[in-house]
Amino acid sequence: QVHLVESGGGLVQAGGSLRLSCAASGLTFSTNVMGWFRQAPGEERQFVAVIRGSRGITYYADSVKGRFTLSRDNAKNTVYLQMNSLKPADTAVYYCAAAPSGYAYTGSYYSQEDKYNYWGQGTQVTVAS
């Protein structure tokens, strides 16, 4: 059975940093697409970032580009979302998700929520203003 477990969320001041982790089990980690989404209270879930392919190609939402960095450690079956220069607008529950390899599909393709097969429980990030 596939499990995705997020961790690393918490409270941080505006301008600060957090690193989120997503530990995966029950899947072939290196051949899967790993994405991050977030959902603020009363809002729909939104795409944040995705990493895919053997070379770890990344794609980011415009709202986080230049501030967030997604990386992958295949040996640990873990992906990391390094979040810098955090803003109150980044406050949300952050979810890790996994999708099968899409071959030549683009990052924009994997910004769509319905492309993912598995989801974690989420970890809360609160950025104080």
Side-chain angles (χ1 to χ4, degrees):
Q1 183 172 329
V2 174
H3 278 90
L4 304 176
V5 181
E6 303 95 336
S7 62
L11 174 65
V12 66
Q13 299 297 122
S17 299
L18 283 173
R19 189 183 73 164
L20 305 184
S21 299
C22 175
S25 62
L27 53 75
T28 305
F29 183 81
S30 62
T31 63
N32 276 77
V33 176
M34 303 298 298
W36 284 93
F37 292 75
R38 66 187 185 185
Q39 186 171 24
E43 304 289 337
E44 295 185 351
R45 189 150 53 186
Q46 299 179 339
F47 169 76
V48 176
V50 62
I51 187 166
R52 63 183 180 88
S54 61
R55 296 182 63 85
I57 300 169
T58 55
Y59 177 80
Y60 300 92
D62 288 341
S63 59
V64 306
K65 193 176 299 182
R67 300 187 297 119
F68 290 12
T69 302
L70 185 59
S71 61
R72 182 174 65 197
D73 187 335
N74 291 335
K76 296 181 178 180
N77 280 8
T78 301
V79 293
Y80 304 96
L81 184 66
Q82 178 66 47
M83 307 186 297
N84 299 325
S85 301
L86 284 163
K87 307 173 181 179
D90 297 318
T91 296
V93 176
Y94 283 70
Y95 296 91
C96 178
S101 175
Y103 302 101
Y105 289 123
T106 65
S108 61
Y109 174 88
Y110 284 105
S111 71
Q112 302 173 65
E113 184 175 337
D114 62 2
K115 301 301 185 292
Y116 293 83
N117 304 104
Y118 304 103
W119 294 82
Q121 297 290 337
T123 185
Q124 185 173 357
V125 172
T126 302
V127 183
S129 61

